């Protein structure tokens, strides 16, 4: 006697797994071109201009407030303010106002970065015009560090253009034990001749090992790598000479594509801008309504079949800019381009190829 049982959990037999000839046919490969794109219009869900891209590192960055406050202001007089990314403002009985900013910097693969921090870290137009001065300093555990200060302003003027219009400004930059560069900078009004905080406390905050980011922040390509990729797609890219160090977790490049690449005519408002930013991958971006012209999720082919690239166009009275966002397997890539670099299908294709470049992942 034989008993035969059947269960939905069993794997199908070899005979049942054989596909029919029709199922084994392969479709021809689709080429990456405007002819294959499929756009889905998106609703504006943000009040900003451009794409609002979620930052997966934001929870870790938010923890920096408490770390820095423990060194600079254990009494709790500082509070988080609306200006910049990591500011506090303090209103004391004497009317003094203080603004604090802090972060981790990319060393741009330059062993002498601390020695030239002054021009790279100029943070206001006043400082850019008047220059700044820096001097060696020693961190709390003997780390190499620098104090960076702007040159004294002319009588009656302040460091306007900074997050706080200040009478005094100072930055402490520390080369930390983990190889990162931590900085704390502060501005103060109506406190002539005195630093906003004791410099040794600013150095302690910049060197604190809790002042860090998750490992994925350090997998983002350096600025130099982002620039090299952008130049392969746009050979005539000229970098912005007013460059700065990037914070960890972001790779960035910005410049102009020479006018002769698209014709001899030049524009009063520069529409040859090209900028690329790379950050760890997070959620999909949200479309901003300020100056919005178009906002779509574009299905393209290249990094997968299909692949979504978010494309939007925002305008003001002078200039229209096209922003592209690709949320890849590891990083989110944002590309911004002026109208001259994006008006023709061929140019749009080059921007799509740039934002999908696997080397930015």
């Amino acid at each position: 006697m034989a008993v035969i049982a059947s269960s939905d959990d069993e794997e199908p037999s070899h005979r049942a797994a054989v596909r029919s000839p029709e199922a084994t046919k392969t479709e021809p490969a689709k080429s990456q071109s405007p002819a294959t794109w499929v756009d889905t219009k998106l609703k504006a869900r943000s009040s900003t201009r451009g794409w609002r891209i979620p930052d997966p590192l934001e929870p870790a960055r938010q923890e920096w407030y408490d770390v820095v406050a423990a060194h600079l202001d254990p009494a709790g007089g500082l509070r988080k303010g609306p200006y910049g990314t990591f500011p506090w403002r303090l209103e004391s009985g004497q009317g003094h106002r203080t603004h604090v900013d802090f972060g981790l910097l990319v060393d741009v693969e330059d062993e002498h970065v601390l020695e030239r921090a002054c021009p790279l870290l100029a943070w206001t137009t006043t400082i850019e015009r008047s220059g700044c001065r820096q001097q060696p300093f020693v961190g709390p555990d003997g780390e190499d560090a620098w104090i960076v200060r702007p040159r004294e302003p002319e009588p009656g003027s302040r460091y306007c253009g900074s997050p706080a219009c200040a009478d005094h400004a100072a930055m402490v930059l520390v080369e930390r034990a983990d190889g990162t560069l931590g900085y704390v900078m502060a501005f103060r009004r109506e406190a002539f001749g005195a630093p906003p905080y004791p410099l040794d406390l600013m150095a302690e905050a910049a060197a604190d090992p809790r002042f860090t980011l998750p490992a994925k922040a350090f997998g983002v390509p350096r600025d130099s790598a982002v620039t090299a990729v952008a130049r392969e797609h746009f050979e005539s890219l000229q970098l912005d000479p007013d460059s700065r160090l990037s914070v960890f977790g972001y790779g960035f490049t910005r410049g102009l594509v020479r006018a002769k690449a698209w014709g001899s005519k030049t524009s009063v408002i520069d529409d040859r801008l090209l900028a690329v930013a790379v950050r760890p991958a997070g959620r999909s971006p949200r479309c901003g309504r300020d100056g919005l012209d178009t906002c779509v999720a574009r299905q393209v082919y290249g990094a997968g079949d299909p692949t979504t690239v978010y494309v939007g166009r925002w305008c003001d009275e002078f200039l229209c800019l096209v922003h592209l966002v690709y949320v890849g397997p590891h990083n989110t890539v944002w590309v911004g381009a002026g109208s001259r670099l994006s008006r023709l299908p061929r140019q749009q294709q080059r921007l799509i190829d740039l934002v999908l470049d696997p080397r930015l992942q």
Side-chain angles (χ1 to χ4, degrees):
M1 180 177 66
V3 179
I4 301 176
S6 176
S7 171
D8 291 339
D9 295 331
E10 293 179 0
E11 295 183 2
S13 66
H14 177 71
R15 182 181 300 275
V18 175
R19 294 173 177 257
S20 63
E22 290 77 14
T24 59
K25 290 182 179 179
T26 58
E27 296 183 0
K30 295 183 178 180
S31 62
Q32 167 65 285
S33 74
T36 67
W37 298 342
V38 178
D39 289 349
T40 301
K41 188 175 181 179
L42 300 178
K43 292 183 178 179
R45 299 185 179 275
S46 171
S47 60
T48 59
R49 181 182 295 267
W51 294 103
R52 183 173 182 180
I53 305 175
D55 182 2
L57 301 179
E58 183 62 23
R61 296 183 195 274
Q62 290 290 339
E63 295 178 0
W64 293 354
Y65 284 106
D66 295 334
V67 172
V68 176
H71 293 279
L72 300 186
D73 188 44
L78 287 168
R79 60 182 177 83
K80 299 176 185 178
Y83 306 100
T85 308
F86 311 113
W88 281 297
R89 292 176 71 85
L90 172 65
E91 299 288 347
S92 69
Q94 293 74 30
H96 296 172
R97 288 188 293 177
T98 300
H99 174 95
V100 181
D101 197 2
F102 43 91
L104 295 174
L105 297 175
V106 179
D107 61 7
V108 295
E109 303 170 342
D110 184 353
E111 61 182 0
H112 303 294
V113 65
L114 286 175
E115 300 173 9
R116 60 187 187 91
C118 191
L120 287 170
L121 296 174
W123 59 86
T124 76
T125 55
T126 299
I127 293 174
E128 289 168 3
R129 289 196 302 268
S130 61
C132 62
R133 51 198 170 96
Q134 62 187 75
Q135 63 189 76
F137 192 66
V138 178
D141 295 317
E143 303 96 336
D144 291 334
W146 288 88
I147 301 170
V148 182
R149 292 191 180 98
R151 298 192 184 280
E152 295 299 326
E154 297 179 0
S157 66
R158 289 176 171 150
Y159 300 122
C160 292
S162 65
C165 204
D167 296 303
H168 184 90
M171 173 191 289
V172 176
L173 182 68
V174 179
E175 188 171 21
R176 295 147 48 89
D178 61 1
T180 64
L181 300 172
Y183 76 87
V184 173
M185 59 182 176
F187 310 85
R188 172 167 287 185
R189 292 184 65 177
E190 302 173 14
F192 296 100
Y197 293 95
L199 297 174
D200 58 341
L201 296 184
M202 295 173 67
E204 287 179 6
D208 194 308
R210 296 172 298 168
F211 189 13
T212 188
L213 285 171
K216 61 183 176 182
F218 305 95
V220 171
R222 298 271 180 99
D223 288 7
S224 57
V226 176
T227 299
V229 171
R231 274 184 164 155
E232 285 195 22
H233 291 270
F234 294 88
E235 299 83 358
S236 56
L237 177 66
Q238 296 177 330
L239 293 186
D240 184 353
D242 188 26
S243 60
R244 297 289 180 269
L245 291 173
S246 292
V247 296
F248 269 109
Y250 297 91
F252 185 76
T253 192
R254 174 189 174 102
L256 298 174
V257 176
R258 288 199 299 268
K260 70 179 184 181
W262 312 114
S264 58
K265 183 179 178 181
T266 58
S267 175
V268 176
I269 303 299
D270 214 320
D271 58 359
R272 297 170 294 127
L273 172 69
L274 180 69
V276 184
V278 184
R279 65 181 71 184
R283 299 189 307 275
S284 301
R286 288 193 169 191
C287 180
R289 64 176 58 91
D290 183 15
L292 176 64
D293 180 63
T294 59
C295 182
V296 301
R298 175 170 293 171
Q299 297 295 310
V300 303
Y301 300 88
D305 190 4
T307 294
T308 300
V309 175
Y310 298 90
V311 183
R313 187 172 183 263
W314 288 266
C315 302
D316 57 25
E317 58 182 321
F318 301 110
L319 179 67
C320 288
L321 293 175
V322 173
H323 298 180
L324 301 89
V325 178
Y326 168 55
V327 182
H330 302 291
N331 299 321
T332 292
V333 183
W334 170 89
V335 172
S339 56
R340 190 180 302 189
L341 301 186
S342 58
R343 62 170 58 112
L344 299 177
R346 176 178 62 87
Q347 297 161 2
Q348 296 173 24
Q349 180 60 63
R350 295 178 72 183
L351 293 172
I352 292 286
D353 291 340
L354 171 58
V355 78
L356 291 178
D357 195 300
R359 292 169 293 180
L360 299 179
Q361 293 299 315

